[in-house]
Amino acid sequence: MKQVERILSEKLLKISAIKLQPDNPFTWASGWNSPIYTDNRKTLSYPEVRNFIKVELTKTIMENFGDAEVVAGVATGAIAQGALVADTMGLPYIYVRSSPKDHGLENLIEGNLKPGQKVVVIEDLISTGGSSLKAVQAIRNAGAEVVGMVAIFSYQFPIAVENFKKADVKLITLSNYTAMLSAALDIDYIKDEDVETLKQWREDPETWSPNKTIDE
């Protein structure tokens, strides 16, 4: 039986929530060249995929962070899925902005969060972990406890592993880059010769360029 990470990878590829273009890379906002672009917001337009993710996120939380009292979504990508999970679990919901509002109460956290509450954070995508961990810090600054984070997909960058370790945050992802490559090959989304290129990018995304050889 296929594991969740493989099933989800296939679903994300089929609806173009994940796109792979090793020969015609994307340019990220950071300036990095990348053979992959991920937009998990697209899953919201596909009820079957949306529900699959909601159910698996909920199961993961119940199995690993069963003491959570509040569900938090990270803006903007995880706001909707976080709300769906909170509703399914019957728990209070908040979401964390990337920066405080520039008017009104200037909230960074939207919703009612009380000091001492145990919070599980929902994220849609983990790259370096920087923005995700800013949300964690905002919750901690509010006096609440982060029991862990569950994300839909991770690029599995070594720097992200290190950043989560330093922040003392347990991270569990439904799927990941390794599982996605295997699924993409199985469904003929990519060719055998693309795999090495895609693996090279994950190992050094900051300096990667298309058609770069291993010896360079």
Side-chain angles (χ1 to χ4, degrees):
M1 189 171 69
K2 290 184 181 179
Q3 295 181 323
V4 169
E5 61 184 18
R6 285 292 303 276
I7 296 171
L8 180 54
S9 288
E10 289 183 14
K11 291 179 184 296
L12 296 177
L13 287 164
K14 287 177 179 177
I15 66 171
S16 295
I18 291 179
K19 291 184 178 182
L20 297 174
Q21 296 181 184
D23 296 326
N24 183 28
F26 304 94
T27 301
W28 285 3
S30 62
W32 290 2
N33 290 313
S34 172
I36 181 172
Y37 187 78
T38 305
D39 181 6
N40 286 325
R41 296 174 183 83
K42 285 192 173 183
T43 63
L44 299 171
S45 297
Y46 298 85
E48 187 272 332
V49 180
R50 183 182 69 213
N51 189 63
F52 180 85
I53 291 171
K54 177 190 72 175
V55 169
E56 293 303 327
L57 287 172
T58 300
K59 285 170 58 177
T60 301
I61 292 170
M62 293 176 69
E63 291 170 2
N64 296 275
F65 309 114
D67 57 343
E69 300 169 308
V70 178
V71 175
V74 179
T76 60
I79 289 179
Q81 273 294 351
L84 290 169
V85 170
D87 188 60
T88 301
M89 298 185 70
L91 291 177
Y93 179 64
I94 62 171
Y95 70 86
V96 186
R97 294 175 172 272
S98 57
S99 58
K101 280 198 301 188
D102 59 4
H103 61 280
L105 297 176
E106 300 182 352
N107 293 335
L108 184 57
I109 297 175
E110 297 291 357
N112 187 25
L113 179 64
K114 301 173 184 176
Q117 285 186 310
K118 295 181 178 181
V119 182
V120 62
V121 181
I122 303 288
E123 182 61 287
D124 70 320
L125 176 66
I126 304 294
S127 52
T128 64
S131 58
S132 307
L133 291 172
K134 281 183 180 179
V136 168
Q137 192 56 52
I139 292 168
R140 287 173 170 172
N141 289 345
E145 176 188 350
V146 174
V147 296
M149 181 180 296
V150 183
I152 296 172
F153 187 82
S154 170
Y155 290 128
Q156 295 178 302
F157 292 149
I159 189 173
V161 175
E162 185 63 26
N163 285 339
F164 275 87
K165 183 178 179 181
K166 285 180 180 177
D168 193 25
V169 177
K170 182 177 180 180
L171 170 67
I172 300 175
T173 63
L174 299 186
S175 192
N176 56 65
Y177 194 74
T178 301
M180 182 276 301
L181 286 185
S182 180
L185 197 57
D186 284 352
I187 64 175
D188 296 322
Y189 190 104
I190 56 173
K191 303 182 292 291
D192 287 332
E193 53 266 35
D194 294 326
V195 174
E196 187 57 40
T197 299
L198 290 161
K199 286 182 177 178
Q200 288 176 30
W201 171 78
R202 193 193 69 82
E203 291 168 2
D204 189 12
E206 191 170 3
T207 63
W208 179 87
S209 60
N211 304 316
K212 181 179 179 181
T213 63
I214 297 174
D215 295 328
E216 282 184 321

